[in-house]
Amino acid sequence: MTKLFKRHLTKLASAVAFAAAPGFVGSAMAAQPEPWQMGMQAAATEVMEDVRWFNDFTLIIVTVITLFVLALLIYCVVRFNRRANPVPSRTSHNTMIEVVWTVVPILILVVISVPSFRLLFKQLDIPKYEMTIKATGYQWYWGYEYVDEGMQDVYFDAIMLSDEQRAELKAEKGLTDREVPRLLATDYNVVVPEDTNIRVLVTAADVIHAFAMPAFGVKIDAVPGRLNETWFNATEPGMYYGQCSELCGKDHAFMPIAIQVVTKEQYAAWSEAAKQDVDEANSLLASMIEEEKNKTAELGASSELKVATR
């Protein structure tokens, strides 16, 4: 039993080691929740950049409206209290005010609706895609299939790492809590290339789930007996985490989504190896990333030496 557990841990390590390689995550360091975080995660796709812009845009409008209404309330309290205005006005109608408070809200809604519809269209209109992944929600984990020609035999289930498995990995590999985040790290990660239009087919096998990846601006229901579809194009390599966002049962909080974005060269090598064995492919990818990290470190050291020499 102990040998079997260690063998399973070895597979888990190969699946997460490349995601935890120092220097690899880079600009994707914010692709998971941060302690005391306010606001959205950093954008990793063009769609999410638009989502963040639209959020800030509407926040400005709401803030201006709130301050304006607050100023009106303060003015009314000061100007029309009993002491300052002992004889109240008997005015019951004002045509100009009634026109303004009808037309201005309409104009505000139009200003908000134009970028809103544009963003909605961008999310739903799937561009010409280069690869397709099918994500199936189960109680309570995700299953993934690479459905493109030549990749049909690549499929796996991604199950959340338990606290015991995380502790073993951290002790064995010297990883940190950030590199193996609690309630987010999985035994297998979805591996995709950067700068690639990826279509995701989403369904469920039992109850309604929801496939959500905050850094990608993706959230779509997984409905039994139905195929929904969404897409993303990640611009930066790194590790990105999401979760099921539909109340689906007692373990709803324990079915995370882990997507590993790598370079196109690394993905080409991984996908070729994954056709035979996903575990071997993960080990290969981990070694490639480690090699790339060492080269980067050597180049950095060489540059520092040249500067020191000058």
Side-chain angles (χ1 to χ4, degrees):
M1 195 68 178
T2 304
K3 290 182 179 179
L4 181 62
F5 183 66
K6 288 184 176 179
R7 192 179 305 121
H8 185 58
L9 278 178
T10 302
K11 291 184 177 181
L12 298 183
S14 67
V16 301
F18 58 90
F24 176 71
V25 179
S27 61
M29 288 295 287
Q32 58 177 282
E34 299 286 345
W36 301 97
Q37 178 179 352
M38 295 182 64
M40 300 180 180
Q41 292 184 17
T45 66
E46 186 178 333
V47 169
M48 187 57 190
E49 290 176 358
D50 289 351
V51 170
R52 289 177 60 92
W53 176 88
F54 184 69
N55 176 76
D56 296 340
F57 173 69
T58 53
L59 179 61
I60 292 172
I61 294 177
V62 170
T63 302
V64 171
I65 293 173
T66 302
L67 292 176
F68 176 71
V69 172
L70 176 62
L72 284 180
L73 288 173
I74 294 174
Y75 175 78
C76 290
V77 169
V78 174
R79 174 67 180 81
F80 298 109
N81 63 67
R82 179 181 293 182
R83 205 178 335 178
N85 192 49
V87 181
S89 171
R90 295 184 177 276
T91 302
S92 60
H93 295 284
N94 185 299
T95 302
M96 178 58 68
I97 290 178
E98 291 178 1
V99 169
V100 168
W101 73 34
T102 300
V103 173
V104 170
I106 292 175
L107 294 178
I108 292 174
L109 290 176
V110 170
V111 170
I112 293 176
S113 67
V114 171
S116 173
F117 289 142
R118 174 182 170 274
L119 176 58
L120 186 62
F121 178 79
K122 194 171 188 177
Q123 289 177 314
L124 297 178
D125 182 53
I126 298 178
K128 184 177 180 182
Y129 50 88
E130 299 163 72
M131 63 177 292
T132 301
I133 295 174
K134 182 181 178 182
T136 304
Y138 299 94
Q139 290 180 310
W140 285 270
Y141 59 92
W142 290 94
Y144 300 99
E145 301 174 49
Y146 288 73
V147 300
D148 294 311
E149 185 176 355
M151 293 287 289
Q152 298 94 329
D153 293 331
V154 179
Y155 56 89
F156 51 84
D157 295 330
I159 300 173
M160 185 189 76
L161 296 183
S162 66
D163 289 340
E164 292 77 12
Q165 291 169 330
R166 291 177 59 251
E168 289 281 350
L169 279 176
K170 289 192 293 182
E172 180 182 346
K173 299 293 183 179
L175 306 178
T176 65
D177 284 333
R178 179 175 182 79
E179 292 165 335
V180 193
R182 183 173 181 270
L183 302 182
L184 291 175
T186 58
D187 56 355
Y188 286 91
N189 303 320
V190 180
V191 180
V192 298
E194 64 177 338
D195 294 325
T196 302
N197 289 336
I198 299 170
R199 181 179 66 155
V200 184
L201 302 177
V202 182
T203 188
D206 32 54
V207 299
I208 297 177
H209 301 277
F211 186 88
M213 182 58 61
F216 295 169
V218 167
K219 182 179 180 183
I220 190 166
D221 281 345
V223 183
R226 175 173 177 173
L227 275 180
N228 289 331
E229 60 179 359
T230 184
W231 73 283
F232 65 86
N233 184 323
T235 57
E236 293 288 342
M239 196 69 213
Y240 300 89
Y241 294 102
Q243 290 176 302
C244 173
S245 296
E246 188 74 49
L247 290 174
C248 58
K250 72 179 185 69
D251 285 339
H252 158 69
F254 308 113
M255 50 182 301
I257 302 164
I259 297 181
Q260 176 71 47
V261 180
V262 298
T263 65
K264 293 187 176 182
E265 294 76 14
Q266 290 168 342
Y267 176 77
W270 178 88
S271 61
E272 193 63 32
K275 295 175 184 177
Q276 306 299 325
D277 190 306
V278 175
D279 292 315
E280 290 297 329
N282 287 340
S283 298
L284 172 64
L285 186 56
S287 62
M288 292 177 64
I289 292 175
E290 186 67 23
E291 182 180 348
E292 186 70 25
K293 180 196 70 173
N294 293 335
K295 286 182 180 179
T296 303
E298 290 175 3
L299 287 174
S302 176
S303 300
E304 291 177 1
L305 182 60
K306 289 180 181 177
V307 170
T309 303
R310 293 198 195 102

